[in-house]
Amino acid sequence: MPSVVVLGAQWGDEGKGKIVDYLAQQADAVVRYSGGSNAGHTVVVKGVAYKLRLLPSGVLFPDKINILGNGVVINPKVVLEEIAGMQAKGIDCKNLVISDRAHVVLPYHLRLDELQEEALGNSKIGTTKSGIGPCYMDKVARLGIRVCDLLEPDVFAAKLKANLAAKNEIITKIYGAAPFLYELVLREYLDYAERLRPYVKDTGVILDKLFADKKKVLFEGAQATFLDIDHGTYPYVTSSNPTGGNACTGSGIGPKSIDHVVGVVKAYTTRVGEGPFVTELFDADGNHLREMGQEYGTVTGRPRRCGWLDAFMLRYSARVNGLDYLAITRLDILDALPKIKMCVGYRYQGQELERIPASLNQLAKVEPVYEEFEGWLTDISSARKYEDLPVNARKYLERLSEVAGVELGIVSVGPNREQTIVLKELL
């Protein structure tokens, strides 16, 4: 009865969707446990790209249970659009289950997200303006509306009226923007409620039965470690905990249920939005990584910031998440580079650091300690065994594993499901 958590070990966009999709072939259920529609996965199967925002990557398999856990914030409009999009491509979403304890993203959350970001000016966070932060704010403030509330018209109507009155005060009097009309929002969301009703269940009970029946369960993280609200580069983070511990809290299971934690690592480093980035490149190598890797946001289309692989940050990620294995993605993007660098440490005021500083002021002044590697200048996209990889590629991977202190589990050499080298069977 193996259960595996797959999460991002960097700043997101590592290719978690592809790794989850690959492992989902052996799983009985795939569970998304955090975040909202600000996340984006792209999965390529037989040359067809599927762009997912809320739906778990296992939705491409008709025989898998796909769960949106209580830790996810649900935008009904987005999830219904995704379901319709999948159905148009012949993907049946009847095995999708949404937690009745998950919180609902409402129109005022998106508007407040936008207005708050605009008000920050040069100090902006770089949010996707998907309403995620304001929704989690309401959840923590105990003002949130959950999916179970949405399905009870009288309960929803009362909560919406109270919340909207308060939010309209902020929207109009602080930001000078137009208010929302209660009747319009009520009517729209009651329609969503009926369309979502068939998918809503107590997902904790479903998971409990899956474990009791010794089924294989795959937990899918959104965003990544350095976007974690507690352990990331705060405040340039998301509003939830994408780290491994939240696989339990965000899905309603105990920690004894988790067997392995896999950190997905892009073979270089990218991030979207503001905040420090120690290995960021502003030269031809950075542009090469962006264009060869098509590093543009799945949700926003924004160009991603690109840099050399930071293995020192992965050591921190390994500790925070309790990583058992690494899944390396996009190694093929480095194929044409004659020289490749890897950050193996940080130097601050002339001293090498043993840890990543919490202070962003210090982190902004850190210098990367690089090691340089000879490139392999070979197309590796057809490699299917580790031994098929060029010697220089293996040297790069093995040094990465050594610095991070985590064993290699998977190496991806292309976007398609079959372009995957498995070193450890995880499910």
Side-chain angles (χ1 to χ4, degrees):
M1 184 208 69
S3 61
V4 176
V5 177
V6 176
L7 53 85
Q10 298 157 297
W11 274 296
D13 308 309
E14 298 96 345
K16 296 182 293 297
K18 187 243 168 107
I19 301 301
V20 171
D21 172 73
Y22 184 84
L23 292 175
Q25 294 174 96
Q26 289 83 45
D28 296 298
V30 180
V31 185
R32 169 89 180 270
Y33 62 82
S34 70
S37 58
N38 56 335
H41 293 330
T42 301
V43 179
V44 180
V45 181
K46 296 180 180 178
V48 179
Y50 298 89
K51 293 181 183 277
L52 308 174
R53 292 175 65 182
L54 269 169
L55 296 181
S57 298
V59 76
L60 300 180
F61 297 93
D63 59 335
K64 317 296 180 188
I65 298 173
N66 290 274
I67 294 175
L68 290 176
N70 55 275
V72 181
V73 290
I74 308 291
N75 184 323
K77 180 180 181 181
V78 170
V79 76
L80 287 166
E81 286 176 349
E82 278 198 80
I83 290 169
M86 287 291 123
Q87 290 171 340
K89 291 183 176 182
I91 305 297
D92 192 339
C93 295
K94 66 181 181 181
N95 289 336
L96 174 67
V97 187
I98 299 172
S99 172
D100 54 3
R101 288 175 167 82
H103 281 247
V104 179
V105 177
L106 288 130
Y108 51 77
H109 291 134
L110 282 83
R111 189 68 177 121
L112 285 168
D113 201 356
E114 181 182 21
L115 293 169
Q116 289 165 3
E117 184 78 343
E118 289 174 358
L120 288 170
N122 292 333
S123 300
K124 65 182 180 179
I125 302 298
T127 171
T128 62
K129 301 176 184 176
S130 302
I132 309 305
C135 185
Y136 277 115
M137 286 169 64
D138 279 0
K139 176 178 178 176
V140 174
R142 292 162 290 185
L143 299 170
I145 295 175
R146 298 187 296 170
V147 171
C148 59
D149 301 322
L150 183 64
L151 297 189
E152 296 185 46
D154 292 343
V155 172
F156 175 65
K159 290 193 172 190
L160 177 66
K161 180 169 283 189
N163 281 10
L164 204 53
K167 302 303 182 187
N168 275 340
E169 286 284 293
I170 297 170
I171 289 168
T172 58
K173 294 184 178 177
I174 294 180
Y175 295 108
F180 285 94
L181 298 177
Y182 167 73
E183 291 294 340
L184 290 181
V185 177
L186 178 66
R187 195 157 53 241
E188 178 185 2
Y189 272 70
L190 287 178
D191 174 62
Y192 292 153
E194 292 312 307
R195 292 160 64 191
L196 285 176
R197 192 179 293 277
Y199 301 100
V200 178
K201 292 182 174 58
D202 187 331
T203 54
V205 171
I206 293 172
L207 279 167
D208 188 57
K209 187 175 189 310
L210 284 167
F211 283 117
D213 292 342
K214 302 192 182 305
K215 299 296 185 180
K216 297 177 181 179
V217 181
L218 185 59
F219 294 88
E220 175 184 32
Q223 286 92 29
T225 301
F226 283 83
L227 294 175
D228 187 278
I229 190 72
D230 288 294
H231 303 290
T233 49
Y234 186 91
Y236 301 104
V237 292
T238 193
S239 302
S240 60
N241 294 105
T243 38
N246 198 35
C248 298
T249 309
S251 57
I253 61 165
K256 290 182 180 179
S257 299
I258 304 298
D259 293 311
H260 299 297
V261 183
V262 177
V264 184
V265 178
K266 193 180 288 185
Y268 48 99
T269 308
T270 64
R271 80 169 298 176
V272 172
E274 308 301 316
F277 184 173
V278 174
T279 64
E280 186 170 9
L281 295 171
F282 301 94
D283 58 9
D285 287 329
N287 289 333
H288 174 87
L289 293 173
R290 184 178 301 107
E291 295 310 314
M292 287 298 295
Q294 283 298 292
E295 294 293 351
Y296 297 90
T298 302
V299 175
T300 64
R302 289 182 294 181
R304 296 178 185 135
R305 300 158 64 188
C306 297
W308 296 122
L309 178 68
D310 190 336
F312 190 69
M313 69 187 282
L314 295 179
R315 190 187 305 172
Y316 173 94
S317 189
R319 174 176 63 80
V320 169
N321 293 298
L323 296 183
D324 296 300
Y325 300 103
L326 298 177
I328 311 300
T329 62
R330 318 219 83 190
L331 186 65
D332 53 301
I333 303 303
L334 305 182
D335 284 354
L337 292 171
K339 300 285 184 181
I340 302 167
K341 290 183 179 180
M342 179 190 299
C343 175
V344 299
Y346 287 179
R347 187 180 291 115
Y348 178 69
Q349 295 182 344
Q351 300 292 318
E352 287 205 26
L353 301 179
E354 294 183 358
R355 64 178 185 87
I356 294 179
S359 166
L360 294 200
N361 182 52
Q362 293 179 25
L363 194 57
K365 298 172 184 175
V366 158
E367 297 176 9
V369 178
Y370 282 123
E371 289 182 6
E372 189 171 80
F373 297 78
E374 295 293 329
W376 41 93
L377 301 176
T378 303
D379 181 354
I380 63 170
S381 61
S382 61
R384 296 296 178 268
K385 296 185 295 185
Y386 189 70
E387 295 74 22
D388 294 339
L389 293 172
V391 171
N392 286 347
R394 281 181 272 151
K395 285 181 179 178
Y396 182 75
L397 292 171
E398 287 155 18
R399 181 57 174 150
L400 161 59
S401 173
E402 181 182 28
V403 176
V406 185
E407 194 174 348
L408 295 172
I410 293 174
V411 178
S412 171
V413 294
N416 288 295
R417 192 181 285 164
E418 63 274 11
Q419 293 176 297
T420 309
I421 297 170
V422 177
L423 288 81
K424 295 288 179 182
E425 292 294 340
L426 301 174
L427 273 174

